Amino acid sequence: MAMDASDPLIRMEERRALLIPRPEMPYGWGYLSGPLNGHFLVSVDERRVRVQFRSGDKVVRAFEWQTPGHIVDTTVAAPPAPRTVTSGELAGAKVAALVFTAWRPAPSAALIYRPEQWAVQEVEAGVIVNGEPAGTARIKAAPYWAAFLRETRVPLPAEACKRLRPVNDVTLTNPGGAVFGVGSVRLEVTLADGSALSSAVCERFYFSAPQSGGENLAHAAYGWGLIPAALRESVALGEPLGPLSVRF
C-alpha cells in the first residue's frame, strides 16, 4: 500500500479491539495505517520462509518459519513508551472526544444496496461520562460488511473534560429502543501542553439487545455473529449500555 508520508505507523491494538484469542496473540499483528510505501517481501530458501514488512528500504517487522505453525519474530517494532497521566492533567485537557466503532443493521436486506437510505436509519444514543451527560452519539445503519468498521467521534463539552480521570465510566443511553452495537471504545484528549493522548481500547463489544431480541434475518444478526461470545455483552432493549470502564 502507498500511504502519505505524514501518516504515523499506528499499531492495530491502539485503535481497535482485537478479536484474536489471547493464546494466539503471538502469531498475529497488524497496523491500522502506514507506513509510506508499505509492502511485504517474502523469500523462500528450501523449507525456510522469511517475511519482511517494509517501508521503502526500512524493515518494520520481520518473521520466519521453517516448521508450519512455529513462527519466529526476527524484527519487531518497539512499542510506544507508556505515559502515565494524572487526574489534574486530564481535568485540564483542552479538548476530548469519545471514539468508538459501531454497527446498526439496515431494516431490510434491500436497503443494504441503497446507501442513500443508511443516514435515514440513524439513531441517537446519549453519552454519559463519569455520571454526567456529555453529548449525543449518532449511529447510522450500514451494510453488513461495514459492521464495526467506521469510527464514530463524539466531542466532549468543556465541563465533561474537567471530570476526566485515569479511570472513567462511560454509558450510552438508548431511549428509542434501537438495535445497535459499539466496540473499540476509547477516549482521546489533547492536554494543556498540546500533547495528544489516547486511552486503552476497551476489549469488549456492547449490544443494545440480546441477539434473540433482534431480527432473525442474516444481515440483521451479522453484528452479533461477527464478535466472539466471550467478547460481547448485551443489555435488554432500551436499557443503557454500560458503564464501560475506559482507562488511560
Side-chain angles (χ1 to χ4, degrees):
M1 72 188 84
M3 305 294 291
D4 187 272
S6 62
D7 288 342
L9 187 63
I10 300 175
R11 298 188 306 160
M12 187 70 74
E13 57 266 36
E14 294 177 26
R15 295 291 186 270
R16 296 290 186 269
L18 302 183
L19 305 183
I20 304 172
R22 285 195 176 276
E24 299 176 16
M25 285 292 188
Y27 299 99
W29 54 271
Y31 298 99
L32 192 63
S33 69
L36 178 67
N37 295 325
H39 63 277
F40 286 95
L41 177 64
V42 181
S43 59
V44 180
D45 179 12
E46 294 184 351
R47 296 181 59 186
R48 176 171 294 175
V49 180
R50 296 183 176 90
V51 181
Q52 293 180 338
F53 181 41
R54 290 172 167 254
S55 173
D57 292 333
K58 179 183 178 182
V59 177
V60 177
R61 184 83 182 236
F63 58 93
E64 64 180 43
W65 72 87
Q66 190 165 357
T67 302
H70 184 65
I71 297 174
V72 178
D73 283 311
T74 54
T75 301
V76 180
R83 175 175 178 178
T84 301
V85 64
T86 66
S87 296
E89 289 176 307
L90 289 170
K94 293 180 177 180
V95 294
L98 176 69
V99 187
F100 57 86
T101 60
W103 164 77
R104 170 161 167 71
S108 70
L111 290 184
I112 292 177
Y113 304 101
R114 296 173 59 189
E116 72 278 5
Q117 291 293 322
W118 298 345
V120 177
Q121 307 303 323
E122 179 180 274
V123 298
E124 294 186 350
V127 175
I128 299 175
V129 177
N130 295 326
E132 297 293 336
T136 301
R138 292 175 171 81
I139 301 173
K140 296 180 175 63
Y144 66 90
W145 46 262
F148 301 109
L149 179 62
R150 301 183 181 91
E151 286 189 339
T152 296
R153 304 181 66 87
V154 183
L156 302 186
E159 287 302 313
C161 292
K162 294 177 182 178
R163 293 190 294 270
L164 292 177
R165 53 202 187 205
V167 181
N168 302 272
D169 289 334
V170 175
T171 300
L172 296 178
T173 63
N174 185 22
V179 175
F180 63 90
V182 298
S184 300
V185 181
R186 71 181 193 277
L187 286 165
E188 288 186 352
V189 300
T190 300
L191 301 178
D193 63 4
S195 60
L197 184 66
S198 180
S199 72
V201 177
C202 291
E203 295 182 352
R204 303 187 68 78
F205 289 72
Y206 296 81
F207 292 84
S208 67
Q211 184 169 352
S212 58
E215 299 176 70
N216 293 323
L217 298 175
H219 77 274
Y222 184 78
W224 286 282
L226 181 66
I227 308 303
L231 296 180
R232 65 177 188 249
E233 293 187 14
S234 300
V235 299
L237 190 62
E239 293 295 315
L241 283 70
L244 293 63
S245 182
V246 184
R247 300 171 178 267
F248 284 94

